Amino acid sequence: MIFFVLSGYVLSISQILTTKRNLAITTVARYFRLLIPVFVVTVIAYLFLKMGFFYNVESSTTEEAKSWLGRFYTFSPDIIDALRFAFFDTFFNYDGQHTYNSSLWTMPVEMMGSILIYSYIAIFRVMDKIYWLVAAVLVVYFYNVSPYMFCFMAGYMLAELKIRQRNFTNDITQVLLVLLFIGVIFYDTFNRPATDQGNCLEAVILIFCISYSQPLMHFFSNSFSKYLGRISFSLYLIQIVVICSWSSYLRIHLPAYGFGIYVDATINLISTIAICIGFAHLLTPVDIAAVKYSKIIARKILYIKTGETKPVEIG
């Protein structure tokens, strides 16, 4: 949920603050920005499946594991199927029972949320006028009908508020924001909301606290946090591939060495985290290239479709 709120927040600020808004290019580019890293990770998953590197089904010995980890990669690898999954199914026809990457369930939501934000800004954010009532009505509507879209609209409203109220300088307010942030984390750890609406509200509160709390902003702006931010999308995409291969392999074979369940779990956890971060680091240039070349591709597509000497400007 935090990912959705943050996406709405970042996408909105980037469009609101730009002096040359081109929502046509931005909307088309969004697809390719997501597609490029998704395609690369899908190819990796296809190759792993083709070479028999996935052990998740074999390692799923409990009913709980079978209902989650044991469901993945039970089909035969097919290159055409993998390409269709990467280019189309991931964004427009995702099937959790037949997926090359279970983390990609968020991509249809991400695409729809991006279109929602870009469409709203194109219609209601003209000449720097803000229609707070319209935004508020949509927030309430989506909260009840589509909590994921609520996250994006809430992210938009947080962006508008941040532009107008840069910071709270009062010391008491700063302390309260940190306490609220810690309180939400603590509450979610021991009593996670049972509904999507509850999880969405928590995500909005967390992003709000980070946006206005100086200590939290400093914490999430240090070099280590920035590094994690750079690799975060790649890390998100590659994690299930590592879990279904390396982690599952260790789950099967480590007990034979007689270390004990706690040592086995520690070795598995530490090595899995290290490999995920290593993979993510190697994939980060792909993510960076996706940001750069997605706009170039979008401009080419719009140029061909419109037949103009330059892309159509909107807004």
Side-chain angles (χ1 to χ4, degrees), residues 135-201:
V137 169
L138 287 175
V139 165
V140 174
Y141 171 77
F142 284 125
Y143 178 79
N144 290 283
V145 175
S146 178
Y148 296 152
M149 294 302 103
F150 160 80
C151 289
F152 280 88
M153 280 306 301
Y156 161 78
M157 294 194 74
L158 289 176
E160 293 282 19
L161 290 171
K162 182 62 177 178
I163 292 171
R164 276 144 191 80
Q165 178 65 50
R166 302 296 296 180
N167 291 298
F168 295 120
T169 57
N170 186 282
D171 290 341
I172 296 177
T173 303
Q174 290 295 312
V175 172
L176 290 176
L177 286 171
V178 173
L179 291 176
L180 179 59
F181 180 86
I182 295 173
V184 171
I185 296 295
F186 182 84
Y187 178 82
D188 186 78
T189 301
F190 297 101
N191 189 25
R192 187 167 189 175
T195 64
D196 286 338
Q197 284 87 346
N199 288 305
C200 289
L201 282 177

Side-chain angles (χ1 to χ4, degrees), residues 52 54-62 66 69-70 72 244 248-249 251-253:
F54 287 129
Y55 302 91
N56 53 293
V57 175
E58 186 181 350
S59 69
S60 300
T61 56
T62 66
K66 290 177 182 178
L69 203 62
F72 305 138
C244 288
S248 297
Y249 179 84
R251 171 71 177 81
I252 297 169
H253 295 285

Side-chain angles (χ1 to χ4, degrees), residues 199-272:
N199 288 305
C200 289
L201 282 177
E202 286 188 343
V204 172
I205 293 171
L206 291 176
I207 297 299
F208 174 81
C209 292
I210 295 172
S211 298
Y212 287 103
S213 168
Q214 294 296 326
L216 291 175
M217 279 193 289
H218 286 310
F219 175 78
F220 288 105
S221 298
N222 63 44
S223 57
F224 181 67
S225 295
K226 287 181 178 179
Y227 173 73
L228 291 179
R230 284 195 300 272
I231 70 171
S232 60
F233 189 46
S234 299
L235 185 62
Y236 175 75
L237 293 179
I238 201 63
Q239 59 175 330
I240 194 63
V241 176
V242 176
I243 290 171
C244 288
S245 56
W246 173 259
S247 307
S248 297
Y249 179 84
L250 291 187
R251 171 71 177 81
I252 297 169
H253 295 285
L254 271 180
Y257 292 93
F259 296 133
I261 186 173
Y262 297 109
V263 175
D264 289 353
T266 302
I267 293 173
N268 203 332
L269 177 63
I270 293 175
S271 61
T272 296

Side-chain angles (χ1 to χ4, degrees), residues 264-304:
D264 289 353
T266 302
I267 293 173
N268 203 332
L269 177 63
I270 293 175
S271 61
T272 296
I273 292 174
I275 292 173
C276 283
I277 292 176
F279 254 121
H281 183 84
L282 294 174
L283 289 171
T284 297
V286 174
D287 199 38
I288 295 172
V291 175
K292 176 181 178 181
Y293 290 106
S294 60
K295 292 183 179 179
I296 296 175
I297 295 171
R299 289 191 183 98
K300 295 293 184 181
I301 290 176
L302 291 177
Y303 170 78
I304 293 172

